[in-house]
Amino acid sequence: MYTSVVRLQNVFGFFTTVAFVVAAFIAASDFVTERAPVVRTLKTTSVQVVRGRPHYYSSKKEEYAVINFSLDADLSSLFTWNTKQVFVYVTAEWPAADHSKTNATDEAVIWDSIITSPSADHLANIGPVAMKKLRKSAGGKSIDPNRGKLVLKNQRHKYKITHPSGKLATTDNVTLRLHYNVQPWVGLLTWNQDVDYGYWKALKNGVSKRFKLPAIKEKKPASAGAR
């Protein structure tokens, strides 16, 4: 005869098996949902290289770059009923000093943002007024594709660009690249891809045109006063 402990173990084992199967079906549903993110515009609006202390805790002066940009992207297809939030960020990339030998690339994040789905709005790290507006914009919908439509004009950078060498002026072949990371309620984290995988299409036009970081502007010497 089964004891109460054995019966409890059987019930718990059956419950966990059912939960695992349901979770597997939910995660697999993402692979049959089309993803077709596209970038219409990604360009710089202002680029500047400055010599100074890039952060308040910097112990010495060095060259750092500040880049503002404009972005028009449609990431709405990344939002499904299983999407918790999408992490979006823009990087500046350029060939490393030993690129010819190692094919290495330097990369620095200049801006990022977390876009929550309506079901995850309570996780957003924002104030009560902004939270009220965010929930009102969803209108009670479980999926709000409009949140994946980004239109940023002359967006100010969040992070300055530095380099271990302390030198950045006149760096050539710099590009901006848009990245995303989809975080589901159930399933695997997925990042932007360079090739198509079934229903998931590669991000189109996610790289800007190449540009060159400017030289540091020299301070003009003070003119001699009239005697």
Side-chain angles (χ1 to χ4, degrees):
M1 183 178 293
Y2 292 113
T3 63
S4 299
V5 174
V6 173
R7 290 179 178 178
L8 183 62
Q9 289 176 338
N10 290 338
V11 171
F12 180 75
F14 177 75
F15 172 77
T16 53
T17 300
V18 171
F20 178 81
V21 172
V22 172
F25 274 109
I26 294 174
S29 67
D30 281 342
F31 294 99
V32 295
T33 303
E34 184 178 7
R35 290 185 182 181
V38 61
V39 177
R40 301 185 184 93
T41 303
L42 178 56
K43 62 180 181 180
T44 61
T45 54
S46 67
V47 182
Q48 186 179 9
V49 177
V50 181
R51 180 168 180 79
R53 290 182 172 85
H55 311 288
Y56 69 90
Y57 51 81
S58 300
S59 59
K60 62 179 181 179
K61 292 184 177 181
E62 59 182 303
E63 295 178 3
Y64 64 90
V66 290
I67 301 177
N68 295 343
F69 64 96
S70 290
L71 172 66
D72 184 356
D74 186 355
L75 307 180
S76 57
S77 61
L78 303 179
F79 287 86
T80 67
W81 65 284
N82 188 37
T83 302
K84 179 181 179 181
Q85 58 189 20
V86 177
F87 179 57
V88 184
Y89 58 103
V90 176
T91 60
E93 302 177 1
W94 64 95
D98 56 349
H99 179 77
S100 58
K101 297 180 180 179
T102 62
N103 201 33
T105 301
D106 289 330
E107 180 179 332
V109 177
I110 64 171
W111 176 87
D112 60 20
S113 180
I114 296 177
I115 309 173
T116 58
S117 64
S119 57
D121 283 344
H122 62 284
L123 300 175
N125 187 20
I126 55 179
V129 176
M131 176 66 72
K132 185 177 180 180
K133 291 182 179 179
L134 184 64
R135 289 178 172 174
K136 185 178 180 180
S137 67
K141 296 179 289 186
S142 59
I143 302 175
D144 186 9
N146 289 327
R147 295 191 179 187
K149 297 179 180 179
L150 302 177
V151 181
L152 308 175
K153 296 182 178 180
N154 196 26
Q155 174 64 42
R156 179 177 172 81
H157 63 279
K158 275 190 175 182
Y159 312 105
K160 301 179 179 68
I161 302 175
T162 60
H163 192 271
S165 66
K167 302 291 185 180
L168 276 174
T170 68
T171 299
D172 205 359
N173 294 323
V174 184
T175 58
L176 298 184
R177 183 185 294 269
L178 178 69
H179 305 258
Y180 65 80
N181 170 221
V182 181
Q183 303 174 17
W185 286 106
V186 179
L188 301 175
L189 299 178
T190 54
W191 284 261
N192 52 302
Q193 57 206 50
D194 297 325
V195 296
D196 296 344
Y197 294 109
Y199 291 98
W200 293 3
K201 306 301 179 182
L203 178 64
K204 293 184 178 180
N205 306 321
V207 182
S208 71
K209 294 182 179 179
R210 297 180 182 275
F211 60 94
K212 183 177 181 179
L213 297 182
I216 299 177
K217 292 184 178 180
E218 298 292 340
K219 293 183 178 180
K220 295 181 179 180
S223 58
R227 294 183 178 179

